[in-house]
């Protein structure tokens, strides 16, 4: 890692005009043309070439691998410590419903982490000399195999990579299981693969841009859920938490589309699919990285369907308050339905009994 701050995104772009962001149609047509042309020209593509490319261009040390695993274990320990000594006692002190005391720490932990990580990504992109957000093609300017990774970006990679390593374990063994938990595990694996391989192949510049565009939605989601959990305290409903959860849900819905379905494809995928091969002919693992980015985009679209479902339920009056539409697995939903049916039947019995008394 290079301790000096490298001008990966600025020195090469001095004097160059910042490209105007394309539209969806232009992205699709240009990407199809470039990818098809690259595939047609890749006559030696196959396992042998992939193995050779991996050995020639992937750079990662055993010390970095050790730091990754140690940091992943550290996040797990930190989360458990915060849950036991801060989040759960605070939830109990605030007298939130007992069923939420066990679920709230998950959202509180993620809110703390993503706020920290997104703030650091924002600092790198807007308060340093990097111009990756304003000029996405610059992420591949001056790319060289095995080039040094600036220390500030290496720190971001260690933080994020180890967190997603921890998150794979946490989703399976620590978090409440939800309808999309399996998709969440796949998401974490793809994200960790992107982080690891982009670091090893020195595509760290575009990696920072990807992380910045995704973390903000996690902040808003967890902020909304925390306020939902704190909406009822001591049997009393608090208006301020209701307002905050509604504001969080609205901003989450808007920024999900803006960051993940607008900026992500038109900035990141444009640079990765089209300008990368122009700046670096025969760029290593071109198809592999773009396949992972496409998979990430498809999962963003999949989760956006949950958001549309949520908005539709609110607009049609099917949902009176903000809830996580992913919150319960089908077995839990059935249990809730059975409970509601039982309560309804009891209500009918009481009503019939009252009616009989009135008629007597």
């Amino acid at each position: 890692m290079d301790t000096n701050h490298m001008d990966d995104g600025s020195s090469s772009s001095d004097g160059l005009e910042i490209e105007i962001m394309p539209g969806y149609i232009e992205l699709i047509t240009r990407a199809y043309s470039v990818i098809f042309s690259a595939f047609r020209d890749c006559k030696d593509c196959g396992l042998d070439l992939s193995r050779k490319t991996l050995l020639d261009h992937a750079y990662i040390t055993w010390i970095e691998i050790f730091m990754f695993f140690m940091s992943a274990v550290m996040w797990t320990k930190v989360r458990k410590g915060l849950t036991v000594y801060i989040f759960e006692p605070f939830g109990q002190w605030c007298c939130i419903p007992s069923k939420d005391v066990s679920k709230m720490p998950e959202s509180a932990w993620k809110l703390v982490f993503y706020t920290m990580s997104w703030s650091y990504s924002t600092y790198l992109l807007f308060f340093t000399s990097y111009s990756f957000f304003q000029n996405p093609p610059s992420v591949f300017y001056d790319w060289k195999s095995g080039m040094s990774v600036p220390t500030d970006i290496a720190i971001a990679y260690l933080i994020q990579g180890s967190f997603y390593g921890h998150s794979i374990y946490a989703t399976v063994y620590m978090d409440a299981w939800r309808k999309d938990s399996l998709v969440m595990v796949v998401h974490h694996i793809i994200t960790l693969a992107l982080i690891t391989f982009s670091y090893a192949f020195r595509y760290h510049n575009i990696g920072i841009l990807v992380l910045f565009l995704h973390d903000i939605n996690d902040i808003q989601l967890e902020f909304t859920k925390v306020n939902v959990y704190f909406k009822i305290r001591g049997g009393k409903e608090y208006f301020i938490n209701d307002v905050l959860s509604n504001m969080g849900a609205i901003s989450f819905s808007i920024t999900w589309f803006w960051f993940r379905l607008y900026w992500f494809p038109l900035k990141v995928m444009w640079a990765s699919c089209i300008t990368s091969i122009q700046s670096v002919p025969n760029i290593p693992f071109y198809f592999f990285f773009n396949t992972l980015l496409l998979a990430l985009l498809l999962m963003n679209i999949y989760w956006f369907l949950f958001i549309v479902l949520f908005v539709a339920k609110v607009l049609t009056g099917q949902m009176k308050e903000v809830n996580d539409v992913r919150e319960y697995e089908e077995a839990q939903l059935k249990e809730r339905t059975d409970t509601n049916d039982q309560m309804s039947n009891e209500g009918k019995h009481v009503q019939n009994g009252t009616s009989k008394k009135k008629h007597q």
Side-chain angles (χ1 to χ4, degrees), residues 58-338:
Y59 293 88
I60 193 165
T61 66
W62 286 109
I63 294 178
E64 291 168 332
I65 295 174
F66 174 76
M67 291 175 63
F68 161 79
F69 281 106
M70 290 299 294
S71 298
V73 172
M74 179 197 70
W75 291 129
T76 304
K77 295 295 184 181
V78 169
R79 172 177 172 173
K80 287 183 178 179
L82 290 175
T83 297
V84 172
Y85 296 107
I86 296 180
F87 297 146
E88 286 185 348
F90 184 69
Q92 293 169 351
W93 182 76
C94 291
C95 298
I96 66 174
S98 57
K99 66 182 179 65
D100 293 332
V101 171
S102 60
K103 293 187 293 185
M104 179 272 293
E106 176 190 341
S107 293
W109 157 248
K110 291 178 180 178
L111 177 61
V112 170
F113 176 83
Y114 284 119
T115 301
M116 175 193 69
S117 62
W118 187 75
S119 298
Y120 187 57
S121 298
T122 302
Y123 162 76
L124 291 177
L125 289 175
F126 297 99
F127 297 94
T128 65
S129 59
Y130 301 125
S131 60
F132 308 141
F133 181 83
Q134 297 84 354
N135 187 21
S138 68
V139 296
F140 291 104
Y141 292 166
D142 297 332
W143 179 89
K144 292 181 180 64
S145 178
M147 63 190 292
S148 298
V149 179
T151 301
D152 49 8
I153 291 182
I155 291 173
Y157 261 76
L158 178 61
I159 292 172
Q160 294 274 5
S162 60
F163 177 78
Y164 280 102
H166 149 79
S167 296
I168 295 173
Y169 170 84
T171 302
V172 177
Y173 296 105
M174 300 176 69
D175 299 345
W177 192 259
R178 300 181 176 88
K179 288 189 293 183
D180 70 336
S181 290
L182 183 59
V183 178
M184 188 68 72
V185 172
V186 175
H187 167 269
H188 293 336
I189 293 173
I190 291 177
T191 303
L192 182 58
L194 276 169
I195 291 173
T196 303
F197 281 91
S198 64
Y199 182 86
F201 283 89
R202 300 308 188 245
Y203 301 148
H204 45 273
N205 295 341
I206 195 170
I208 292 299
L209 189 56
V210 172
L211 294 171
F212 166 77
L213 293 175
H214 283 73
D215 283 354
I216 185 173
N217 301 122
D218 293 298
I219 296 174
Q220 295 165 320
L221 173 63
E222 304 307 335
F223 174 82
T224 299
K225 292 173 69 174
V226 165
N227 277 282
V228 168
Y229 293 138
F230 280 91
K231 188 182 299 184
I232 297 177
R233 305 196 296 275
K236 180 181 178 182
E237 185 170 342
Y238 285 80
F239 179 71
I240 182 62
N241 294 104
D242 186 45
V243 172
L244 290 175
S245 62
N246 285 323
M247 291 175 59
I250 293 172
S251 63
F252 169 76
S253 304
I254 295 172
T255 57
W256 184 282
F257 176 83
W258 196 260
F259 279 69
R260 296 195 181 200
L261 300 183
Y262 181 67
W263 274 340
F264 175 68
L266 299 184
K267 285 182 178 288
V268 172
M269 299 201 70
W270 174 267
S272 180
C273 292
I274 299 168
T275 64
S276 64
I277 208 166
Q278 296 171 349
S279 300
V280 187
N282 299 318
I283 186 170
F285 276 83
Y286 172 80
F287 298 107
F288 174 75
F289 281 110
N290 282 293
T291 299
L292 289 181
L293 288 173
L294 178 61
L296 191 58
L297 177 61
L298 292 177
M299 282 189 289
N300 288 337
I301 295 173
Y302 168 79
W303 276 310
F304 189 65
L305 297 178
F306 280 103
I307 299 173
V308 173
L309 175 63
F310 163 77
V311 173
K313 285 186 175 182
V314 172
L315 293 178
T316 57
Q318 298 179 45
M319 183 180 292
K320 300 300 182 181
E321 60 180 3
V322 172
N323 285 307
D324 186 358
V325 296
R326 309 171 303 122
E327 187 70 29
Y328 297 96
E329 186 60 313
E330 291 183 8
Q332 291 174 295
L333 285 172
K334 184 177 184 302
E335 181 181 343
R336 293 177 72 203
T337 303
D338 293 342

